[in-house]
Amino acid sequence: MEPQRLEEIIGRYPTPTGKILGILEHIQREMGYLPKDVLKLLAKRLELPLSELYSIATFYSFFTLEALGRHVVTVCMGTACHVKGAPELVASLKHHLGVEMDETTRDGKFLLTTDDGEYTLTSARCFGACSMAPVLRVDNKIFGYVTPERIPSILKQFGWEGNHH
Amino acid sequence: MIQVIIDGKTCAAEEGEILLAVARRNGIDIPSFCYEEALAPYGACRMCLVEVVKGGREGITTSCTLQVTEGLDVLTESPEIIRLRKALLELYLAQAPRSESIRALAARYGVTRTRFTKKTVRDDPLQNRCILCGLCVRVCRDVMGVGAINYIGRGQFTEINTPFFEENETCQGCGACAEVCPTGAIAIEDIAPNRIMKSWSGTKVPLKTCQSCGRYFAPSPFVDNTLEKLDTALKAALQDLCPDCKRKEMTRQAILLSTGTPLPMK
């Protein structure tokens, strides 16, 4: 993000220090994530410790600090989806997208992006659509009653053309 | 002045004072982890819970956030308070199993084991001793004006460290974080010519050499920032001398002054 564009975003908020969430949301909307250098610039510009911004960015699951793929596949890992087979969906997606986990983070979260930057696979806690469990979301479209067998046909709607490997 | 009653003892206090401070001044030791006089009330650790019996909103509240009013009557060790404190200590034993201060306080309340799963993170920068009381975060930001560290993440995976877990360039190595830490979680080591903030992603802060004896004595940015706040004469008198040489220099000057032969500073 150009420093000037960041200035424009900050300029939209009359009291920037009280509107950090708004500014961060704005940046993420434009960039798809919160890049480190933009956070550093913002901290300098608002005269806030970088630790403060990093704390906020890691507190809210809405924010992501890593670049995402063009399409984001989010599997619901809420209780209902979990018992209805969400882990199998994740395994199937990993297989079809050709992404593997290097290691599981301590909090069990993952964010996997394909090498070509087309797809990112991640998880979330409960979409509030438990009646259709298991549920997943691609970009802004929700799919219910998903089975591992249906994964390829879902992905094809988003330009997926078969196994990457 | 007003009067408040703590555990049946009448204590004098200023209206609006923090109850915990009034109690300690009167020899009543309410335990706490996150209270620090120099900082605004926070109420995070919950160890200082007291029971308001009369003269305020009756019930259980943290004494570090309770401002005293005339006739306030509280109990600091009622059966209910002791029950809650024991439960809290069990939680703390699980959260910070390696902390000796937690173990010592728990033992004082007869709590020697915990029913909860102990947190054991391998290579935890805070040595499985951090209880997330926030004192280090607050002292760094609110007293030192730096803000090198903060909470990261949330829920059971919350931790405290530098942004992006990188060496932090704003840290001035003052060590206030380790000083206020109630559980001894923060590790700092001086390995010449740097001070290594081992808990804070290995942040290195250069140490300053004493102009007189050549010894490393304090982190450079910390000395510089502190000197900035002094007036010019004092600044000139103190600059870049270790505490020992500073003492000698000041004594030398005092003797010269008292013998009536003021000499220019060395």
Side-chain angles (χ1 to χ4, degrees), chain B residues 25-90:
Chain B
R25 191 171 63 228
N26 285 278
I28 298 159
D29 181 26
I30 303 174
S32 77
F33 292 128
C34 78
Y35 176 73
E36 165 57 51
E37 233 179 322
L39 294 161
Y42 201 53
C45 80
R46 319 309 288 174
M47 283 310 301
C48 72
L49 289 175
V50 294
E51 196 172 335
V52 178
V53 188
K54 255 198 330 236
R57 211 162 118 191
E58 283 162 33
I60 285 164
T61 187
T62 44
S63 59
C64 72
T65 56
L66 182 62
Q67 293 182 307
V68 297
T69 46
E70 176 68 48
L72 185 72
D73 188 346
V74 303
L75 293 174
T76 73
E77 297 265 319
S78 67
E80 179 65 358
I81 293 293
I82 289 175
R83 192 182 69 82
L84 290 170
R85 229 170 252 164
K86 281 178 152 178
L88 279 167
L89 283 162
E90 264 196 75

Side-chain angles (χ1 to χ4, degrees), chain A residues 34-37 39-40 44 49-56 58-62 65 106-109, chain B residues 119 121 141 146-159 161-166 168-169:
Chain A
L34 299 176
K36 194 196 285 185
D37 57 335
L39 284 185
K40 285 187 175 173
K44 205 162 276 173
L50 178 62
S51 65
E52 203 92 19
L53 297 184
Y54 188 72
S55 186
I56 294 169
T58 57
F59 181 87
Y60 294 99
S61 57
F62 170 79
L65 294 156
R106 193 154 69 83
D107 54 6
K109 285 185 193 154
Chain B
K119 185 184 132 188
V121 176
R141 183 188 56 204
V146 174
I149 47 170
N150 211 317
Y151 290 100
I152 295 169
R154 66 163 158 185
Q156 62 168 316
F157 303 107
T158 310
E159 53 195 316
N161 216 311
T162 55
F164 299 99
F165 299 90
E166 287 176 349
N168 192 275
E169 52 195 36

Side-chain angles (χ1 to χ4, degrees), chain A residues 32-151:
Chain A
Y33 72 115
L34 299 176
K36 194 196 285 185
D37 57 335
V38 177
L39 284 185
K40 285 187 175 173
L41 199 61
L42 182 65
K44 205 162 276 173
R45 188 45 193 73
L46 298 183
E47 294 176 13
L48 282 170
L50 178 62
S51 65
E52 203 92 19
L53 297 184
Y54 188 72
S55 186
I56 294 169
T58 57
F59 181 87
Y60 294 99
S61 57
F62 170 79
F63 293 119
T64 169
L65 294 156
E66 282 177 64
L68 300 178
R70 211 153 62 87
H71 300 291
V72 180
V73 183
T74 314
V75 182
C76 178
M77 289 293 226
T79 312
C81 289
H82 196 274
V83 298
K84 287 289 230 171
E88 285 74 32
L89 299 186
V90 173
S92 171
L93 280 159
K94 275 194 212 159
H95 170 73
H96 286 106
L97 295 174
V99 289
E100 240 336 297
M101 238 180 288
D102 297 339
E103 52 185 295
T104 319
T105 52
R106 193 154 69 83
D107 54 6
K109 285 185 193 154
F110 58 88
L111 190 76
L112 304 162
T113 302
T114 54
D115 292 339
D116 59 6
E118 280 294 298
Y119 303 93
T120 291
L121 176 62
T122 185
S123 66
R125 290 271 182 223
C126 198
F127 293 176
C130 311
S131 62
M132 305 196 300
V135 185
L136 65 78
R137 181 178 67 203
V138 187
D139 300 337
N140 284 321
K141 203 162 174 216
I142 305 267
F143 298 86
Y145 310 109
V146 183
T147 57
E149 292 72 32
R150 267 186 68 205
I151 297 280

